[in-house]
Amino acid sequence: MKILITGGAGFVGSSLAINIKTNYPSYEVICLDNLKRKGSELNLPRLAKAGAIFVHGDIRNKEDFDALPIVDFVIESSAEPSVLAGLEGTPDYLINTNLVGTINCLNYTKKCGAAFIFLSTSRIYPIKAIEKLNFEEAETRFVLSDEQSVPGVSSKGIAENFPLDGARSLYGATKLASELMIHEYNEFYGMKTVINRCGVLTGPWQMGKIDQGVMVLWVAKHYWQQQLAYIGYGGSGRQTRDMLHVKDLYRLIDFQLHNIDKVNGEILNAGGGVEVSASLQELTQICQEVTGKTIPISKVAENRAADIRLYVTDNTKVTALTGWKPEISMKQIVTEITEWITENEEALAYVLK
């Protein structure tokens, strides 16, 4: 099998490539990346050691696909992943990467006669609709109620049939627009496709920052004993997300690579679910336990643009269809990230510190 992974030197792309090569050494894995994100260059030796092929290119440029060989699968994991992208200044890079770039990937996939696995995001769901959901305010987190006035949501989280009317951030809009194009290629070109709407992805080798990769950021700030802040919702730190370890995501992608007919045309929410979720308060507690360090955390009452109170993934559909569900716990995730920073402190300091 030959596989092209876009964003292949990024956190998700490199993790998928290394896991595929580890489990299927005979597969040819090509990683295309423009190395724009700070720290992505640190993954190049890891990819080389695993036997993956790195190609320096940009999905925004159609001609960068011309030199690539014919493949069996394209895993589209490239993105400008920040929910704040384009809100200040021009959205050109965001749109050209997350939408035009995906269309370029689809055209390359069509030329190859290949199948297409797309990593979308939970951020395609509208902000105001999520903010209006019924919730309870527990001691350390916000919790979704079972009684809701809209479909696709319960105490289990948000499902695929949650309403899509409304604004969702420029980032979310580009990913949803890409999803719409994928449906068209599936229907009218007969391309085999699957869309994965991922919750918050995390794990070692993620170059976390304030607007994307929050879990690594939280662990890193504890490790180096730097300040953090609970921003928004009164500064309580109760806002809640589920987390999905990238190795758990790999297990789902592995299934899809080898059972594409079973998931062809599907949209699948995939996240940590209630079982692997935490509020900022709870994440702070876990970081303190694992690192043995306590840091100052300030409180900012005002909400940030495009923020939401809580998001938890309802994995009911993907579990029923594939048998997949997340296995790696919050504490294990924090422990692995802490160990990774400890082992690579000098190399990571300029990115994370």
Side-chain angles (χ1 to χ4, degrees):
M1 188 182 289
K2 288 187 177 182
I3 303 166
L4 174 71
I5 301 177
T6 62
F11 163 56
V12 174
S14 63
S15 297
L16 294 177
I18 290 166
N19 276 286
I20 291 169
K21 286 297 293 182
T22 300
N23 289 289
Y24 306 99
S26 65
Y27 288 12
E28 185 174 321
V29 179
I30 303 162
C31 297
L32 181 73
D33 202 291
N34 64 4
L35 299 179
K36 182 176 186 290
R37 184 166 177 124
K38 187 177 181 181
S40 59
E41 68 280 359
L42 299 177
N43 288 319
L44 299 185
R46 300 174 62 232
L47 291 170
K49 184 178 179 181
I53 300 167
F54 172 70
V55 176
H56 190 205
D58 197 314
I59 63 169
R60 296 175 298 167
N61 301 327
K62 289 186 288 185
E63 57 270 25
D64 284 359
F65 289 90
D66 292 342
L68 297 175
I70 299 298
V71 297
D72 303 297
F73 272 91
V74 173
I75 301 175
E76 224 286 62
S77 66
S78 62
E80 166 49 65
S82 171
V83 74
L84 300 179
L87 296 184
E88 295 183 4
T90 174
D92 289 354
Y93 179 79
L94 173 74
I95 294 169
N96 288 333
T97 299
N98 291 7
L99 177 54
V100 177
T102 298
I103 293 170
N104 289 338
C105 291
L106 284 166
N107 288 332
Y108 166 74
T109 305
K110 179 175 176 286
K111 183 182 81 170
C112 292
F116 191 80
I117 296 175
F118 185 62
L119 297 190
S120 190
T121 172
S122 61
R123 279 295 189 163
I124 61 93
Y125 297 113
I127 293 169
K128 289 181 180 178
I130 293 175
E131 288 291 84
K132 290 177 181 177
L133 294 176
N134 295 329
F135 69 96
E136 298 166 12
E137 195 164 338
E139 184 178 352
T140 59
R141 65 159 65 193
F142 297 124
V143 181
L144 284 168
S145 305
D146 270 323
E147 291 188 10
Q148 302 287 345
S149 60
V150 295
V153 60
S154 68
S155 60
K156 291 181 181 179
I158 290 175
E160 294 82 356
N161 60 326
F162 189 80
L164 293 177
D165 292 339
R168 57 196 37 81
S169 78
L170 291 167
Y171 162 66
T174 59
K175 299 298 278 189
L176 181 58
S178 290
E179 288 190 14
L180 294 174
M181 293 303 300
I182 291 165
H183 290 311
E184 301 300 318
Y185 277 66
N186 178 280
E187 177 70 21
F188 294 106
Y189 294 132
M191 184 184 295
K192 294 180 180 179
T193 65
V194 61
I195 293 167
N196 300 292
R197 290 176 177 166
C198 300
V200 177
L201 293 167
T202 192
W205 295 100
Q206 184 178 38
M207 304 304 165
K209 50 185 182 177
I210 193 66
D211 57 343
Q212 198 272 328
V214 66
M215 193 157 183
V216 169
L217 172 75
W218 223 256
V219 177
K221 293 298 185 186
H222 277 82
Y223 182 86
W224 277 294
Q225 294 184 279
Q226 297 175 309
Q227 186 165 337
L228 282 168
Y230 295 146
I231 301 175
Y233 303 98
S236 68
R238 287 188 175 91
Q239 54 264 61
T240 301
R241 301 287 189 274
D242 61 347
M243 303 284 177
L244 184 63
H245 194 296
V246 72
K247 285 188 177 179
D248 275 336
L249 174 65
Y250 163 71
R251 291 190 301 104
L252 177 59
I253 301 301
D254 183 33
F255 179 93
Q256 294 172 351
L257 285 169
H258 298 96
N259 300 273
I260 188 63
D261 289 334
K262 191 166 186 177
V263 296
N264 181 31
E266 296 287 353
I267 295 174
L268 302 173
N269 281 6
V274 175
E275 296 78 14
V276 192
S277 67
S279 68
L280 290 178
Q281 263 196 59
E282 293 163 353
L283 180 56
T284 297
Q285 181 63 38
I286 297 170
C287 287
Q288 289 173 350
E289 292 174 8
V290 172
T291 66
K293 298 173 182 178
T294 301
I295 62 172
I297 299 181
S298 59
K299 297 182 179 182
V300 179
E302 295 76 20
N303 295 356
R304 287 190 307 174
D307 204 359
I308 54 176
R309 179 179 289 103
L310 74 166
Y311 183 90
V312 176
T313 306
D314 183 347
N315 288 314
T316 300
K317 179 180 177 181
V318 68
T319 301
L321 187 62
T322 70
W324 174 91
K325 59 182 180 179
E327 296 178 349
I328 302 175
S329 69
M330 291 292 299
K331 188 166 185 179
Q332 185 177 343
I333 293 171
V334 172
T335 300
E336 288 188 18
I337 293 171
T338 302
E339 291 172 347
W340 164 64
I341 295 174
T342 303
E343 293 168 4
N344 300 274
E345 180 175 353
E346 186 176 347
L348 296 173
Y350 91 102
V351 182
L352 298 177
K353 188 173 181 180

